[in-house]
Amino acid sequence: QKRFSTNGPEHIKSDNSLWKIPIQICNSDSPQKCVQTVLLEEASQTVTIPEAAWTKINCGAVGFYRVKYNKTDLANIDVEKLMVRDRLQLQSDCFALCKAGYNPITDYFELLNSYKNESDFSVMTNVLSNLGDISLMARNLPESVQNNMKGWKCQLLSNLKNKLGWDGKDSDTHSDKLM
């Protein structure tokens, strides 16, 4: 465990605080149910987890902490199989870590490619807010870069637009109507 700062790791003063952190784990074999709970009591702790194609930490998004995955583990998570709150938390953690300088922002873009079929209002509201923040940060980049980013965003949102259309339908869920 390491302290997280939205201002980045260089703004953390020497802090040896330790928390008891309950960690819930789900995986590819059980993507919507906790398969293991561990209590992290030390700065570092080795845990044997059930073997699976991928593992997600903070199952159910019940813990008040950020999870930093390596690039390969993050790419392996099948986002579409996760609960809504896990989909929300996964991309939120990734963005917060990128924004604070712990990871490159390209990690967030790569993760969002897994959200091309996302249609939940809470998840997409957060994704769009994060993309708005990125657009503000990118406003001083060359116009060609900004145009490429706009095209990428349109591609990311095309499935959602195609699913919802412009006119409401009787079969629309509450989340669909909010979108």
Side-chain angles (χ1 to χ4, degrees), residues 48-99:
T48 302
I49 56 175
E51 189 152 337
W54 53 264
T55 300
K56 184 191 174 293
I57 308 299
N58 200 7
C59 178
V62 296
F64 188 67
Y65 54 88
R66 298 284 185 194
V67 179
K68 183 179 184 220
Y69 295 91
N70 68 45
K71 199 172 192 137
T72 302
D73 289 341
L74 186 61
N76 286 338
I77 296 174
D78 189 346
V79 172
E80 293 183 13
K81 291 186 178 178
L82 296 172
M83 292 183 280
V84 169
R85 60 187 175 201
D86 282 326
R87 297 192 313 264
L88 174 63
Q89 177 258 330
L90 183 67
Q91 65 79 36
S92 177
D93 281 358
C94 184
F95 181 70
L97 289 160
C98 292
K99 189 174 176 182

Side-chain angles (χ1 to χ4, degrees), residues 5-140:
S5 170
T6 57
N7 294 321
E10 65 276 358
H11 288 90
I12 297 175
K13 295 178 180 151
S14 179
D15 182 0
N16 295 327
S17 298
L18 289 177
W19 298 272
K20 292 184 179 190
I21 304 170
I23 298 174
Q24 293 191 317
I25 300 167
C26 63
N27 62 27
S28 57
D29 297 332
S30 183
Q32 297 198 5
K33 185 177 176 193
C34 179
V35 296
Q36 185 175 3
T37 300
V38 176
L39 184 62
L40 179 63
E41 299 183 82
E42 303 295 327
S44 180
Q45 188 171 320
T46 301
V47 176
T48 302
I49 56 175
E51 189 152 337
W54 53 264
T55 300
K56 184 191 174 293
I57 308 299
N58 200 7
C59 178
V62 296
F64 188 67
Y65 54 88
R66 298 284 185 194
V67 179
K68 183 179 184 220
Y69 295 91
N70 68 45
K71 199 172 192 137
T72 302
D73 289 341
L74 186 61
N76 286 338
I77 296 174
D78 189 346
V79 172
E80 293 183 13
K81 291 186 178 178
L82 296 172
M83 292 183 280
V84 169
R85 60 187 175 201
D86 282 326
R87 297 192 313 264
L88 174 63
Q89 177 258 330
L90 183 67
Q91 65 79 36
S92 177
D93 281 358
C94 184
F95 181 70
L97 289 160
C98 292
K99 189 174 176 182
Y102 292 86
N103 289 343
I105 197 69
T106 53
D107 285 5
Y108 186 65
F109 290 128
E110 290 170 10
L111 176 63
L112 284 188
N113 286 323
S114 300
Y115 284 74
K116 64 184 177 291
N117 294 319
E118 184 60 58
S119 61
D120 182 80
F121 175 76
S122 59
V123 176
M124 288 310 298
T125 299
N126 192 252
V127 166
L128 292 171
S129 175
N130 294 341
L131 290 174
D133 287 353
I134 293 169
S135 293
L136 286 174
M137 291 184 277
R139 68 180 178 258
N140 293 323

